[in-house]
Structure formats: C-alpha cells, structure tokens
Amino acid sequence: MRVLGIETSCDETGIALYDSEQGLLGHSLYSQIAVHSEYGGVVPELASRDHVRKTLPLINEVLANTGLTKQDIDAVAYTSGPGLVGALMVGACIGRSLAYGWNVPAVGVHHMEGHLLAPMLEAEPPEFPFVALLVSGGHTQLVQVDGIGRYTLLGESLDDAAGEAFDKAAKMLDLDYPGGPEVAKLAEQGNPERFTFPRPMVDRPGLDFSFSGLKTFTLNTVAEHALEDGLPDDQTCADIACAFQEAVVDTLVIKCRRALQQSGFKTLVIAGGVSANTRLRERLEAALAKIGAKVFYARHEFCTDNGAMIAYAGCQRLLAGQGEALGVTVTPRWPLDTLQPVETSGD
C-alpha cells in the first residue's frame, strides 16, 4: 500500500509518500519559522493561511521527486489532532478531499502517535513493547507502548511541556524563535558548575513532570544578574542556559530510568522536537546503558513535525482496515490512550 501523508498540526507543512513494502519513498517539509519569528511564537491564523498556500504545491513536489502520479497513491493519511484547530482543518480537508477525488481510502492520524512511531522509519527500529518519552513543545509524556494503539499513560507534565519551557527560557535570554535549539546552542558555551537549578518532582514517587517552577527559577536568576539593558552579560546568559538545560535533561533522564525500572522493559523510545537535543540523547544513552537498557529515536529531520511519520502511522491503521467516513473531523485535544488498537494476526 502506497500512502500519502499530510501533516499540518501547527507551523510546519509536511508531505510524504510511504510504501508498505518499499518504505519511505520521498518527503518534503516547509517550516513557517520565518513567518512566526517576529511574533516570538506561532500565530494560529497565519499558520492556517500558510498551510493553505503550501500543502498542494508540496504534494506536487513530492510526487514529481518520486516520479509518481496521483494514480499511484492507494490511500491518504492526514493529521486530525491534537493541534491548532485551523491548521488541522486545512490538512484534513485537503487530505479527505483528495482521497474522495482519487477514490481511495483516507485515515486521520493522531499527531503524537506519529511522533511515537517515527523511529520505526529507521533501519533498526525498536520492537514492542517499550516505554516512550514524548517530549515536544506541547507534550511531555511517558507512555507504555504494548503495540500500535495500545498505550498506557504513565506520567505527564502537570503544567508546561519541556519544549514550551525551553521556548520560554529562550525568551528570557532574548534568543530567537524557536527557542529550544537556541538555548541548546548557547548552553555549549556555559559553565555547568556556576549555577544549580532545581530538578522538579524527582524527589517524590511517580512519573509526572512539572516545569513551571524551573521556568520561574530561570526568570529570577536572569533578573538577579541583569545589567542596565535588562539582560545578564553574555557569559552569564550562557551559564544560565547551560544550567537550565541540565536541569531539564536530568529530570527527563531520571523519570525515564524510573519508568523502565517500574515497567521492567529494556527499551526506551524518545520522540518529538526535544528528542533532537544532543545533550538529552547523550545522557539517556549513558544512563540506560548502566541498567542494560537501550534508547531509540528518529533521525533529526523526523524529530520535528513531518509528513513521513503521518504516512507511516496512517499506513499501519489502513492496513488494519481502519479509515474515515466522508465527513471531516479534527480533534484539537485528543488523549493518546483513547486510540483504537491495531489488531495483528497474533492477537
């Protein structure tokens, strides 16, 4: 089965073609960073308009690059939630309309399931069951994964997601949008010994997260060392970025290790935009090696939102006989553990 994947949940337009036998055939991504950077964050109306402008041209681009035509497509998968409702509607309406016009089935895909399954696109994918850390600008969750659609929520952030905390810390340090990569880059120049930031909720049982207190601690540290222009000197900014990143990474590593020990699993998958953070990958690999566990993640280009993960996840559900009726429905808030399981021959 050859599936066209469409991702428009936020500020990136992703298109891909996935073949159930040949694997990923091609993909393309358009980022709206330039559109939203002057506002310091995503403006939903502008995001929707840009998806309208870019989705069909990107589909044509991917088809041209792969040497395929619309007659070669067997199904369409599109992100139907969670995300910005206007942005979701653009991709869902285009995807469902194309499927109707081409007389092929369509399926709506959960955005975070796409992220969770993105490592399956690699040459050495993880095997079920495993624990997944979904960490992005909108989500920080630990999930037990027993199969596709078989998800048990183990813990989540009670306030800010880790990626959101990175973005807010970047604003405090007057860094460009998106803030996560900028904080990580600045942290490389910092002295990790100068500041010690709190590791929230690691001294109590459970697998939930909280990053609002860490955000406040960062704000207070910036204010305490601010000069006349309202910011600390360059080295102090780097030291603060370093301390902030270490606190977030430490917290995530501690909770991931705890989740594996509680579940008895030996495999961790990290997915979502923050999973591209090099320091997080290094620390997780080192920490899990000590307990005989292994970590898997997608290549960097598939850590952020992309069409390939939607095409793959959609293909698995389509092969299991799932699909959508003619009506278009999007779900801006959609718990991952409410998804329908994908039945296999061994079930």
Side-chain angles (χ1 to χ4, degrees):
M1 176 179 285
R2 195 170 289 146
V3 180
L4 172 70
I6 302 173
E7 156 60 23
T8 63
S9 66
C10 191
D11 62 336
E12 288 166 318
T13 311
I15 305 297
L17 279 172
Y18 179 83
D19 189 290
S20 56
E21 296 183 359
Q22 300 178 41
L24 185 64
L25 302 179
H27 65 97
S28 186
L29 181 71
Y30 171 75
S31 175
Q32 300 177 5
I33 288 177
V35 175
H36 303 286
S37 58
E38 64 177 295
Y39 304 100
V42 177
V43 181
E45 178 63 24
L46 296 181
S48 301
R49 292 180 182 181
D50 234 27
H51 287 311
V52 170
R53 185 172 66 90
K54 295 299 295 186
T55 301
L56 286 176
L58 281 179
I59 291 173
N60 290 331
E61 176 185 307
V62 170
L63 287 172
N65 290 342
T66 56
L68 300 174
T69 69
K70 60 185 181 182
Q71 286 78 23
D72 297 310
I73 295 175
D74 300 311
V76 179
Y78 54 85
T79 304
S80 56
L84 302 176
V85 63
L88 291 168
M89 283 298 296
V90 174
C93 288
I94 291 175
R96 192 63 194 83
S97 298
L98 289 176
Y100 177 77
W102 295 340
N103 194 30
V104 298
V107 66
V109 174
H110 192 290
H111 178 74
M112 295 311 295
E113 179 172 68
H115 275 303
L116 187 154
L117 297 177
M120 299 297 184
L121 293 165
E122 302 305 311
E124 296 184 10
E127 295 183 359
F128 300 112
F130 54 78
V131 170
L133 171 67
L134 303 179
V135 58
S136 65
H139 298 81
T140 301
Q141 298 178 330
L142 279 166
V143 181
Q144 178 174 318
V145 181
D146 294 303
I148 298 176
R150 297 181 174 185
Y151 310 129
T152 303
L153 182 64
L154 302 177
E156 63 184 339
S157 179
L158 304 178
D159 39 61
D160 292 355
E164 182 182 2
F166 265 103
D167 286 339
K168 290 180 177 178
K171 283 188 177 181
M172 298 173 198
L173 296 170
D174 197 31
L175 300 176
D176 291 337
Y177 171 85
E182 296 298 319
V183 171
K185 182 178 179 181
L186 183 60
E188 294 177 358
Q189 307 168 34
N191 175 9
E193 305 297 329
R194 183 175 178 186
F195 297 112
T196 301
F197 281 24
R199 275 61 171 161
M201 296 185 69
V202 299
D203 59 347
R204 66 185 73 177
L207 296 171
D208 287 330
F209 303 88
S210 172
F211 295 105
S212 62
L214 179 59
K215 177 190 65 178
T216 302
F217 192 93
T218 304
L219 180 63
N220 291 339
T221 305
V222 170
E224 181 182 346
H225 294 83
L227 302 176
E228 292 183 359
D229 63 355
L231 284 173
D233 62 77
D234 291 346
Q235 185 57 53
T236 299
C237 284
D239 295 341
I240 291 172
C242 182
F244 170 83
Q245 178 174 255
E246 286 300 301
V248 174
V249 168
D250 263 357
T251 301
L252 295 173
V253 169
I254 290 169
K255 292 300 179 82
C256 286
R257 180 167 176 166
R258 185 180 296 175
L260 287 172
Q261 292 173 327
Q262 290 182 8
S263 66
F265 295 167
K266 293 297 184 181
T267 302
L268 175 76
V269 166
I270 57 170
V274 182
S275 70
N277 184 283
T278 301
R279 183 61 174 159
L280 176 60
R281 293 188 177 197
E282 292 174 348
R283 290 290 308 283
L284 276 173
E285 289 178 357
L288 299 193
K290 294 179 180 179
I291 60 172
K294 189 173 182 180
V295 59
F296 291 81
Y297 36 75
R299 70 196 81 165
H300 277 77
E301 62 186 320
F302 293 153
C303 290
T304 56
D305 297 349
N306 64 88
M309 67 184 193
I310 302 304
Y312 176 84
C315 184
Q316 308 314 306
R317 292 192 169 275
L318 287 158
L319 289 172
Q322 298 180 22
E324 307 297 337
L326 283 177
V328 175
T329 302
V330 297
T331 311
R333 296 182 180 275
W334 189 3
L336 185 65
D337 54 3
T338 63
L339 293 183
Q340 180 181 350
V342 169
E343 302 297 333
T344 66
S345 59
D347 294 327

